[in-house]
Amino acid sequence: MPPQDDPPARYWRSNTRLVALLTLVWALLSFVVPLAGIESITLFGAPFSLWMTAQGAPIAYVLIIWWYDRRMDRLDRASGPGHDG
Amino acid sequence: MAEAGAAARPGAGAGSQRSLHRRYAVYVVTLVLLTLGLGALERVGVSRAWIAAIFLLAPVALYASIGLACRTTHSAEYFVAGRNVPAVYNGMAIAADWMSVASFMGLAGLLYTSGHAALAYVLGWTGGFCLVAFYLAPYLRRFGQYTIPDFLAERYASRGARLIGALVCVLCSFSYVVAQIYGVGLITSRLTGFSFEIGVFVGLGGVLVCSFLGGMRAVTWTQVAQYIILFAAYLVPVVWLAVKQTGVPVPQAIYGERLQKVGALERQLVADPKEREVIDALRAEADRYRARLADPEAALLRERSAAQERIDTMLAERAPVRELRHAERVLLALPKDAEAAREAWTRKRDALDERARPLGGLPPQSQAFAGDPDGGPAQRQAESDAKINFVALVFCLMAGTAGLPHLLGRFYTTPTVREARRSVTWALLFIVLVYLNAPVLAALLKVEVMQSVVGLRFDQLPRWLVEWSRVDSALLSFSDVNRDGILQFGELKINGDIFVLAAPEIGGLPFVISCMVAAGALAAALSTADGLLLTIANALSHDVYFKTLAPDAESSRQVAISKVVLMVVALGAAYVATLRAAEIMSLVTPAFSIAAATLFPALVLGIFWKRMTGWGAMAGMLAGLLVTLYYLASTHPGLRQLLGLTGEPALWWNVHPSSAGVFGVPAAFAVGIVVSLLTPASAAGTQFVEQIRRPSAG
């Protein structure tokens, strides 16, 4: 079997894809939204960017970490302890 | 509660998790009863000093008894809590470990005084956990040794990488731990009337009994207890103020509405002619200093003879002794020579210029960035500087979070990789539950001050205002600048650090809640100090002594050595804290920059890039460290003074000194990658990486 297709390599590729996607979300929340200064939309009575920086982003961080954990659990189970070496 | 740790013996299963839940439930009930009981005693008329002493000492006694119950000489117990801390509890321990006294006391105040700019701390201190979760925690647990330098040493098969890692651990943790102990001294002395030094040593006793006897295991179970108390202490005043102002008990629900209220009050104050009078008076005062600064030597002579003349006339007129004393003090307080005068007067002029602006120089609460993109060149520059510094600070705090060894070491303590991953989610959840309230608290306090305090007559000021100004005028001061007998917003100067401690008094809560908040701040300080002390002691004893100098030593001897080192480091930190160098607080953020520029790149590249070599890691860490330290030393005001540097500091792109990591991190990555490509790849390193990347069992 070519090395890039053995189960650990497949597992690792799925992991890096997931991490890359979530890192992108993280970067948007951390660096783009606070600087965008969007004030035309209001969220819960506050300007969008301000509310996102003070309340929304921290909540979103919890959610994306939770999501990562869930996906990795599923991936771990699918890859199975049989491949654990 | 003292037996909490006993539940966590090796082989603990679901049954013992239930008993852990039960123990902490008993603890919560005890805490509530203690608060209610002391509240009742306060009603009956027991003195405040007694209530404060009981509320501060009872938790410290509890922490110490957890330490006693968890005492151990076994190295897996001592260094990684036997690796059987369930994810939820590890999450709470991480949260307490993470929230330092600076963030507990300072964050809301910083949001009050700096507005939007301070949100960088909210983002940075929470978003960093994404990096920890995605890039580090699962792999560190899978590797499963004792310290962060252990990881570097194994991955890179390099003693040098271990030693550099240990050096960095000590460097970034020490200034941080001194700041915690400084905070302990401040809180204890303020609340009980002990002297600052005794306060430091009482707090130190609590830290030491815990970490000294039981190591990581005792520290973990204590930190869980500390999280619960600091969470309650933060939440109670916020909810109370929210109910008092709006009738809604959920602070998050009223955040936007309160911001609008602050905005309306701010507009009212800016337009108020009385506030304008204050600004004009302050500006006139600043101009007086400006005039003196034109020729400090002559001005000093003038001031001196004027003061002497006043004393002479008083003597001639047989003025009362009290007035005479005051006049003498004025004379003595004048600067010694022209150089000192120039320095003192420049400081005063700048402080007055700072205050002689609308809203006392505070930015409007909802203003995103200073300056104006459509304004003149100075305004545009101010806006871009504010944006650059916001991003730089967020980046340094996040990468630093993912590099601070006292946090990363915690992921060794869970039973499995999955639990390590899950504990990041729990940790961030527990942290966010506290931090989300900080911006709301800032808005609530601003409404309270602008609405209920400003406009009062000077003889009617609330008690908290008067009492805090007596404690230290640097913390809170007010004076009737425009002499109308009424307090204007511009006449009040409050140091952000007191807001959380003063919040219960500002909201009119009973004194026992003030004690609870102080106990929460103490818990925040002690829990962080515990984690940091263990990290420093382990880096020195485990990595430097046991792994490098004396690899044949037995494991029980290793624990003994670690305890001795811990004691020495703790006493050293306490000694530095008693020197009361106020600059120490300003060195906490640079610690994040140092961790970000050294451990973070070495760990992440080591896991995600097989080609990374030991030489690359060492060169990268050193490059990151040197760039960060160079920028810090050449720009940080405290360090410049220490090194005797004079003249204008040369800032790069106007980046604030604390965010030095924004240059250090790219340097570390670049040097690490280039040097790795120039040195031969190692087969052992590749094998190690493949090992830690495998899926986890079950």
Side-chain angles (χ1 to χ4, degrees), chain B residues 417-428:
Chain B
V417 177
R418 280 179 63 185
E419 293 273 311
R421 217 158 45 208
R422 185 146 307 158
S423 64
V424 192
T425 317
W426 282 115
L428 186 58

Side-chain angles (χ1 to χ4, degrees), chain B residues 280-296:
Chain B
D280 291 340
L282 289 170
R283 198 167 289 155
E285 177 84 14
D287 287 340
R288 266 200 290 286
Y289 283 107
R290 232 184 300 278
R292 284 191 200 172
L293 279 167
D295 186 359

Side-chain angles (χ1 to χ4, degrees), chain B residues 476-643:
Chain B
L476 193 152
S477 63
F478 49 86
S479 57
D480 195 1
V481 176
N482 64 344
R483 299 176 196 279
D484 63 349
I486 291 171
L487 183 73
Q488 268 82 40
F489 190 72
E491 293 174 337
L492 182 63
K493 200 164 156 276
I494 309 182
N495 181 327
D497 287 345
I498 70 164
F499 273 118
V500 168
L501 287 180
E505 298 164 77
I506 297 174
L509 274 91
F511 178 70
V512 68
I513 301 297
S514 297
C515 296
M516 186 176 165
V517 171
L522 201 62
L526 292 178
S527 57
T528 310
D530 269 332
L532 290 164
L533 277 177
L534 269 188
T535 303
I536 299 175
N538 293 351
L540 291 174
S541 67
H542 178 84
D543 294 304
V544 176
Y545 172 78
F546 184 63
K547 288 288 185 183
T548 312
L549 297 176
D552 307 326
E554 290 166 36
S555 98
S556 65
R557 184 173 165 73
Q558 192 188 344
V559 172
I561 295 271
S562 183
K563 288 182 174 179
V564 173
V565 174
L566 184 92
M567 186 70 113
V568 173
V569 173
L571 288 174
Y575 171 71
V576 177
T578 55
L579 299 179
R580 296 215 205 192
E583 276 79 35
I584 198 73
M585 282 292 190
S586 71
L587 288 176
V588 169
T589 314
F592 280 80
S593 278
I594 294 173
T598 50
L599 296 175
F600 174 65
L603 292 171
V604 170
L605 284 175
I607 294 165
F608 281 80
W609 194 43
K610 288 183 188 170
R611 184 66 181 75
M612 186 76 175
T613 67
W615 291 110
M618 283 189 277
M621 282 195 283
L622 285 178
L625 185 65
L626 289 177
V627 170
T628 311
L629 287 182
Y630 170 76
Y631 192 71
L632 268 173
S634 63
T635 57
H636 190 278
L639 291 174
R640 283 174 65 85
Q641 211 177 0
L642 208 66
L643 297 171

Side-chain angles (χ1 to χ4, degrees), chain B residues 283-344:
Chain B
R283 198 167 289 155
E285 177 84 14
D287 287 340
R288 266 200 290 286
Y289 283 107
R290 232 184 300 278
R292 284 191 200 172
L293 279 167
D295 186 359
E297 208 150 341
L300 187 60
L301 283 176
R302 244 188 347 262
E303 290 298 314
R304 232 178 241 150
S305 61
Q308 189 60 53
E309 223 166 274
R310 258 197 306 278
I311 294 177
D312 292 344
T313 34
M314 279 181 179
L315 280 173
E317 291 170 358
R318 296 181 180 275
V321 178
R322 208 161 51 98
E323 283 176 32
L324 193 62
R325 285 265 166 77
H326 177 75
E328 280 172 352
R329 267 204 299 276
V330 170
L331 178 65
L332 284 176
L334 283 174
K336 276 196 288 295
D337 51 43
E339 194 40 49
R342 190 195 305 275
E343 207 174 290

Side-chain angles (χ1 to χ4, degrees), chain B residues 234-308:
Chain B
Y234 209 90
L235 221 63
V236 169
V238 185
V239 172
W240 181 283
L241 277 168
V243 171
K244 188 183 162 204
Q245 287 185 14
T246 64
V248 181
V250 185
Q252 281 68 38
I254 53 151
Y255 179 54
E257 187 268 331
R258 284 291 97 181
L259 276 181
Q260 290 174 10
K261 177 85 187 160
V262 173
L265 287 167
E266 279 169 345
R267 278 191 294 280
Q268 226 171 319
L269 287 175
V270 170
D272 186 352
K274 291 278 181 196
E275 296 287 341
R276 296 251 175 84
E277 278 178 31
V278 173
I279 293 171
D280 291 340
L282 289 170
R283 198 167 289 155
E285 177 84 14
D287 287 340
R288 266 200 290 286
Y289 283 107
R290 232 184 300 278
R292 284 191 200 172
L293 279 167
D295 186 359
E297 208 150 341
L300 187 60
L301 283 176
R302 244 188 347 262
E303 290 298 314
R304 232 178 241 150
S305 61
Q308 189 60 53

Side-chain angles (χ1 to χ4, degrees), chain A residues 58-78:
Chain A
I59 297 171
Y61 294 142
V62 179
L63 292 178
I64 60 175
I65 295 181
W66 171 77
W67 172 250
Y68 169 76
D69 177 40
R70 242 174 68 113
R71 288 299 301 266
M72 288 308 287
D73 268 0
R74 214 177 291 161
L75 205 57
D76 276 347
R77 264 200 301 280

Side-chain angles (χ1 to χ4, degrees), chain B residues 2-82:
Chain B
E3 324 83 300
R9 296 214 185 286
S16 73
Q17 256 207 54
R18 259 203 304 282
S19 95
L20 263 178
H21 293 333
R22 207 165 41 235
R23 287 192 166 109
Y24 280 105
V26 170
Y27 164 70
V28 171
V29 172
T30 316
L31 202 63
V32 173
L33 289 178
L34 177 73
T35 314
L36 292 178
L38 287 175
L41 286 181
E42 187 190 341
R43 280 262 170 111
V44 175
V46 174
S47 89
R48 285 183 161 209
W50 275 105
I51 294 173
I54 294 172
F55 217 132
L56 290 190
L57 291 178
V60 172
L62 170 80
Y63 309 148
S65 53
I66 295 180
L68 275 172
C70 294
R71 65 187 176 278
T72 182
T73 52
H74 189 272
S75 57
E77 293 284 334
Y78 186 84
F79 288 111
V80 289

